[in-house]
Amino acid sequence: MQLPFEQFSALSAAGICRHVFTQRIPGIDVSHDKAEVLKGLDAAHREICNAIGVGDWPLFTAEQIHGNKIAVVDEVGSALRVDRGRRGAASLPSREFPGCDGIITNQRGIALGVYVADCCAVYIVDPRTPAIGLAHSGRKGTELGVVTNAIREMIDRFGSVPASMIVQLSPCIRPPHYQVDFAAEIIRQCRALGVKEIHDSGVCTACDLNRYYSYRAEKGKTGRMLALIGLRALPIRQKSVRL
């Protein structure tokens, strides 16, 4: 049976990362609260992660409060919660970053994830550095500039150059099912920072409930799609043996 997920050709072509955007999982009861629904989706999401080769990678997620804070993972096992103009160490009993809606990293072999059900998952890839980012951006997060903050943090922390970046927008809710076209605003913000390669799936989550979850169309009783991205691990070089 084909697993319910999709991938984006622009990210695959970059050749430096693994990524996925899961779709609706058949047979899962989504009438509970978000935490309970995510528990129900966990096994299917793990199977998909295994299928794309990241099943054994550490997964870092964001709390997702519709804000604009960005978490930075700049060494494995270490993470910082970042507020523009205010930075401090974050205690992490789990791999979820409290108060954040985006994550960036330059580390290989770890996965960044956000959960969406109408909001946009925005994948950011800098093949030159290399570095990656992932942001949860709905109407409010877009107004607050969460994707802008993620790109700026990649510039500040990793020396990324916007002109070298690839940005990919996931399926999200769009007019006429929603009154605000925040996907168009995300694209405008990225262009204003100098990003040239921007790809938009152009797909509306509320238009296809057989394939996607939609918080608005399903009146809050719904599941979540997992958006995930990670830098590929470097191949292990075998030492030559002199005879």
Side-chain angles (χ1 to χ4, degrees):
M1 184 181 71
Q2 186 174 359
L3 293 173
F5 70 86
E6 60 194 85
Q7 294 175 301
F8 306 106
S9 59
L11 301 185
S12 298
I16 65 163
C17 60
R18 298 183 186 274
H19 77 282
V20 76
F21 187 77
T22 66
Q23 299 171 342
R24 181 179 285 269
I25 308 298
I28 301 296
D29 182 2
V30 296
S31 63
H32 305 290
D33 62 23
K34 179 183 176 181
E36 193 66 26
V37 169
L38 288 180
K39 287 181 182 178
L41 291 169
D42 184 65
H45 287 172
R46 286 179 182 273
E47 185 178 4
I48 291 170
C49 287
N50 286 331
I52 68 164
V54 301
D56 59 347
W57 292 12
L59 174 61
F60 292 86
T61 60
E63 183 184 5
Q64 300 182 206
I65 61 169
H66 299 280
N68 64 1
K69 306 296 189 301
I70 307 299
V72 180
V73 182
D74 52 11
E75 59 181 86
V76 177
S78 173
L80 297 176
R81 174 186 168 186
V82 178
D83 188 344
R84 302 301 299 177
R86 179 183 176 186
R87 303 183 181 188
S91 59
L92 289 174
S94 68
R95 294 192 180 102
E96 179 183 275
F97 292 92
C100 292
D101 279 81
I103 316 170
I104 64 171
T105 190
N106 62 352
Q107 298 297 295
R108 296 180 180 272
I110 67 170
L112 312 181
V114 297
Y115 295 95
V116 293
D118 280 342
C119 292
C120 190
V122 183
Y123 303 76
I124 308 165
V125 175
D126 169 15
R128 186 184 62 88
T129 301
I132 55 172
L134 186 63
H136 159 254
S137 189
R139 178 188 60 81
K140 187 174 180 182
T142 302
E143 290 173 352
L144 293 173
V146 63
V147 176
T148 295
N149 281 2
I151 292 172
R152 285 175 174 165
E153 285 298 334
M154 290 176 70
I155 295 168
D156 292 348
R157 292 303 187 99
F158 309 137
S160 295
V161 176
S164 300
M165 290 179 173
I166 302 165
V167 170
Q168 173 71 56
L169 278 65
S170 77
C172 61
I173 197 166
R174 302 164 190 265
H177 291 277
Y178 194 61
Q179 64 271 28
V180 178
D181 188 355
F182 54 83
E185 176 60 17
I186 293 169
I187 292 171
R188 188 199 66 77
Q189 291 175 4
C190 291
R191 285 179 176 157
L193 287 174
V195 180
K196 297 179 179 179
E197 188 173 347
I198 305 169
H199 302 267
D200 183 4
S201 68
V203 175
C204 176
T205 46
C207 294
D208 190 351
L209 297 183
N210 290 321
R211 179 171 293 184
Y212 304 110
Y213 298 112
S214 172
Y215 188 91
R216 188 175 183 87
E218 298 176 273
K219 297 179 172 54
K221 297 296 184 180
T222 190
R224 298 294 188 278
M225 283 82 70
L226 170 63
L228 180 147
I229 189 169
L231 283 173
R232 291 176 181 268
L234 290 172
I236 298 174
R237 293 183 178 179
Q238 294 184 346
K239 294 182 179 180
S240 59
V241 179
R242 297 181 64 181
L243 299 177

